[in-house]
């Protein structure tokens, strides 16, 4: 029975990730693979793009904006950092 629930969760996540444009907090947290607590922390510190309902009580997320936000969190490779450090040193420490 637990296996069936896991399969159902995977199917739901796949549908959310490919078809639904506006996500609820639950759906967004599942889509990102984080807890709702983490998601609320990001919204309260305005680290993630979101919308509020007219009453201001419910948060909604645009799937495309969330995908863009995820891709904006890129971490530079060691080679990129080395190249940047070398350019910095050649300029005599000036930015």
């Amino acid at each position: 029975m637990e296996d069936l629930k896991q399969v159902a969760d995977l199917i739901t996540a796949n549908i959310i990730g490919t078809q639904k444009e506006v996500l609820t907090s639950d759906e967004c947290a599942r889509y990102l693979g984080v807890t709702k607590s983490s998601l609320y922390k990001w919204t309260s510190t305005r680290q993630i793009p979101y919308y509020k309902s007219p009453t201001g009580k419910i948060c909604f997320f645009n799937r495309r904006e969330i995908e863009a936000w995820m891709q904006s969190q890129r971490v530079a490779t060691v080679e990129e950092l080395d190249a940047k450090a070398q350019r910095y040193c050649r300029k005599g420490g000036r930015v």
Side-chain angles (χ1 to χ4, degrees):
M1 196 61 156
E2 184 63 30
D3 290 339
L4 288 177
K5 182 174 178 355
Q6 288 177 339
V7 169
D9 287 345
L10 287 172
I11 291 170
T12 300
N14 189 36
I15 290 170
I16 288 170
T18 58
Q19 296 181 359
K20 199 165 179 207
E21 195 63 32
V22 177
L23 307 176
T24 64
S25 295
D26 286 330
E27 293 166 339
C28 187
R30 192 175 320 125
Y31 184 60
L32 292 171
V34 299
T35 63
K36 276 181 64 176
S37 175
S38 292
L39 186 62
Y40 281 127
K41 186 185 301 181
W42 293 339
T43 58
S44 69
T45 56
R46 298 179 185 253
Q47 294 179 22
I48 190 169
Y50 70 100
Y51 298 85
K52 285 199 157 203
S53 66
T55 62
K57 294 182 179 182
I58 302 172
C59 292
F60 295 98
F61 303 84
N62 178 287
R63 181 179 50 82
R64 287 195 176 116
E65 289 178 0
I66 296 302
E67 289 171 354
W69 174 79
M70 286 189 299
Q71 291 181 359
S72 74
Q73 306 301 310
R74 186 176 183 276
V75 176
T77 65
V78 170
E79 290 82 13
E80 291 168 337
L81 292 173
D82 285 343
K84 188 174 183 178
Q86 287 179 13
R87 283 191 305 272
Y88 181 79
C89 289
R90 274 184 259 155
K91 291 183 178 181
R94 296 183 309 269
V95 179

